[in-house]
Short mmCIF file of all heavy atoms in Angstrom, two decimals:
data_model
loop_
_atom_site.label_atom_id
_atom_site.label_comp_id
_atom_site.label_asym_id
_atom_site.label_seq_id
_atom_site.Cartn_x
_atom_site.Cartn_y
_atom_site.Cartn_z
N TRP N 35 -13.15 26.94 10.28
CA TRP N 35 -12.98 25.85 9.34
C TRP N 35 -14.05 24.78 9.58
O TRP N 35 -14.36 24.44 10.72
CB TRP N 35 -11.60 25.22 9.50
CG TRP N 35 -10.50 26.14 9.11
CD1 TRP N 35 -9.78 26.98 9.92
CD2 TRP N 35 -9.99 26.35 7.78
NE1 TRP N 35 -8.87 27.69 9.19
CE2 TRP N 35 -8.97 27.32 7.88
CE3 TRP N 35 -10.26 25.80 6.54
CZ2 TRP N 35 -8.24 27.75 6.76
CZ3 TRP N 35 -9.55 26.23 5.43
CH2 TRP N 35 -8.55 27.19 5.56
N TYR N 36 -14.57 24.29 8.48
CA TYR N 36 -15.50 23.18 8.47
C TYR N 36 -14.94 22.15 7.51
O TYR N 36 -14.09 22.46 6.68
CB TYR N 36 -16.88 23.64 8.02
CG TYR N 36 -17.54 24.60 8.97
CD1 TYR N 36 -17.10 25.91 9.13
CD2 TYR N 36 -18.63 24.19 9.75
CE1 TYR N 36 -17.69 26.79 10.02
CE2 TYR N 36 -19.25 25.07 10.64
CZ TYR N 36 -18.77 26.36 10.75
OH TYR N 36 -19.37 27.21 11.65
N ARG N 37 -15.43 20.93 7.60
CA ARG N 37 -14.97 19.91 6.67
C ARG N 37 -16.11 19.02 6.24
O ARG N 37 -17.11 18.86 6.96
CB ARG N 37 -13.84 19.10 7.28
CG ARG N 37 -14.26 18.16 8.39
CD ARG N 37 -13.04 17.49 9.02
NE ARG N 37 -13.41 16.45 9.96
CZ ARG N 37 -12.54 15.77 10.71
NH1 ARG N 37 -11.22 16.06 10.64
NH2 ARG N 37 -12.94 14.82 11.53
N GLN N 38 -15.94 18.42 5.08
CA GLN N 38 -16.95 17.51 4.57
C GLN N 38 -16.26 16.34 3.91
O GLN N 38 -15.54 16.50 2.92
CB GLN N 38 -17.87 18.21 3.57
CG GLN N 38 -19.05 17.37 3.13
CD GLN N 38 -20.10 18.20 2.40
OE1 GLN N 38 -19.84 19.30 1.93
NE2 GLN N 38 -21.31 17.66 2.32
N ALA N 39 -16.48 15.18 4.47
CA ALA N 39 -15.94 13.94 3.91
C ALA N 39 -16.96 13.35 2.94
O ALA N 39 -18.17 13.65 3.04
CB ALA N 39 -15.64 12.95 5.03
N PRO N 40 -16.53 12.53 2.02
CA PRO N 40 -17.46 11.94 1.04
C PRO N 40 -18.62 11.21 1.74
O PRO N 40 -18.39 10.40 2.64
CB PRO N 40 -16.59 10.97 0.27
CG PRO N 40 -15.22 11.53 0.37
CD PRO N 40 -15.15 12.14 1.75
N GLY N 41 -19.83 11.53 1.33
CA GLY N 41 -21.00 10.87 1.88
C GLY N 41 -21.42 11.35 3.25
O GLY N 41 -22.36 10.79 3.84
N LYS N 42 -20.75 12.38 3.75
CA LYS N 42 -21.08 12.89 5.08
C LYS N 42 -21.48 14.36 5.00
O LYS N 42 -21.18 15.06 4.03
CB LYS N 42 -19.89 12.71 6.03
CG LYS N 42 -19.54 11.26 6.30
CD LYS N 42 -18.49 11.15 7.38
CE LYS N 42 -18.20 9.71 7.72
NZ LYS N 42 -17.19 9.59 8.83
N GLN N 43 -22.11 14.83 6.06
CA GLN N 43 -22.49 16.23 6.13
C GLN N 43 -21.29 17.09 6.51
O GLN N 43 -20.33 16.61 7.15
CB GLN N 43 -23.61 16.42 7.16
CG GLN N 43 -24.95 15.84 6.73
CD GLN N 43 -26.07 16.24 7.69
OE1 GLN N 43 -25.83 16.41 8.88
NE2 GLN N 43 -27.27 16.39 7.17
N ARG N 44 -21.36 18.34 6.15
CA ARG N 44 -20.32 19.28 6.55
C ARG N 44 -20.38 19.46 8.06
O ARG N 44 -21.46 19.59 8.65
CB ARG N 44 -20.51 20.62 5.84
CG ARG N 44 -19.36 21.58 5.99
CD ARG N 44 -19.55 22.82 5.13
NE ARG N 44 -19.58 22.48 3.71
CZ ARG N 44 -19.60 23.39 2.73
NH1 ARG N 44 -19.57 24.69 3.03
NH2 ARG N 44 -19.64 23.01 1.48
N GLU N 45 -19.19 19.48 8.69
CA GLU N 45 -19.14 19.59 10.14
C GLU N 45 -18.13 20.65 10.55
O GLU N 45 -17.15 20.90 9.85
CB GLU N 45 -18.78 18.25 10.77
CG GLU N 45 -17.44 17.68 10.35
CD GLU N 45 -17.17 16.31 10.94
OE1 GLU N 45 -17.97 15.81 11.76
OE2 GLU N 45 -16.11 15.73 10.59
N LEU N 46 -18.38 21.23 11.71
CA LEU N 46 -17.48 22.23 12.26
C LEU N 46 -16.18 21.59 12.70
O LEU N 46 -16.19 20.51 13.31
CB LEU N 46 -18.15 22.94 13.43
CG LEU N 46 -17.35 24.02 14.15
CD1 LEU N 46 -18.29 25.13 14.64
CD2 LEU N 46 -16.59 23.46 15.34
N VAL N 47 -15.07 22.27 12.41
CA VAL N 47 -13.77 21.84 12.91
C VAL N 47 -13.31 22.78 14.02
O VAL N 47 -13.03 22.35 15.14
CB VAL N 47 -12.72 21.82 11.78
CG1 VAL N 47 -11.34 21.47 12.33
CG2 VAL N 47 -13.13 20.82 10.69
N ALA N 48 -13.26 24.08 13.71
CA ALA N 48 -12.83 25.06 14.70
C ALA N 48 -13.23 26.44 14.25
O ALA N 48 -13.28 26.71 13.04
CB ALA N 48 -11.32 24.99 14.91
N THR N 49 -13.51 27.31 15.21
CA THR N 49 -13.81 28.70 14.90
C THR N 49 -13.08 29.61 15.86
O THR N 49 -12.73 29.20 16.98
CB THR N 49 -15.32 29.02 14.97
OG1 THR N 49 -15.79 28.76 16.30
CG2 THR N 49 -16.11 28.21 13.97
N ILE N 50 -12.86 30.85 15.43
CA ILE N 50 -12.25 31.86 16.29
C ILE N 50 -12.95 33.18 16.03
O ILE N 50 -13.16 33.57 14.87
CB ILE N 50 -10.73 31.96 16.04
CG1 ILE N 50 -10.09 32.97 16.99
CG2 ILE N 50 -10.41 32.26 14.58
CD1 ILE N 50 -8.56 32.90 17.00
N THR N 51 -13.35 33.86 17.10
CA THR N 51 -14.02 35.13 16.95
C THR N 51 -13.01 36.27 16.84
O THR N 51 -11.82 36.10 17.10
CB THR N 51 -14.94 35.42 18.14
OG1 THR N 51 -14.15 35.66 19.31
CG2 THR N 51 -15.90 34.26 18.39
N GLY N 52 -13.53 37.44 16.48
CA GLY N 52 -12.66 38.60 16.42
C GLY N 52 -12.03 38.93 17.75
O GLY N 52 -10.94 39.49 17.80
N GLY N 53 -12.72 38.56 18.82
CA GLY N 53 -12.20 38.80 20.16
C GLY N 53 -11.28 37.70 20.66
O GLY N 53 -10.75 37.80 21.76
N GLY N 54 -11.11 36.66 19.84
CA GLY N 54 -10.17 35.59 20.19
C GLY N 54 -10.78 34.38 20.87
O GLY N 54 -10.05 33.47 21.29
N THR N 55 -12.11 34.32 20.96
CA THR N 55 -12.74 33.14 21.54
C THR N 55 -12.68 31.99 20.55
O THR N 55 -13.07 32.15 19.39
CB THR N 55 -14.20 33.43 21.92
OG1 THR N 55 -14.22 34.49 22.88
CG2 THR N 55 -14.85 32.19 22.53
N ILE N 56 -12.22 30.84 21.03
CA ILE N 56 -11.99 29.69 20.16
C ILE N 56 -12.91 28.54 20.54
O ILE N 56 -13.18 28.30 21.72
CB ILE N 56 -10.52 29.24 20.26
CG1 ILE N 56 -9.61 30.29 19.60
CG2 ILE N 56 -10.31 27.88 19.60
CD1 ILE N 56 -8.13 30.02 19.79
#
Side-chain angles (χ1 to χ4, degrees):
W35 294 94
Y36 295 71
R37 71 185 188 185
Q38 187 167 18
K42 295 188 176 182
Q43 290 189 329
R44 190 173 297 187
E45 60 184 356
L46 179 146
V47 176
T49 60
I50 183 168
T51 69
T55 300
I56 290 173

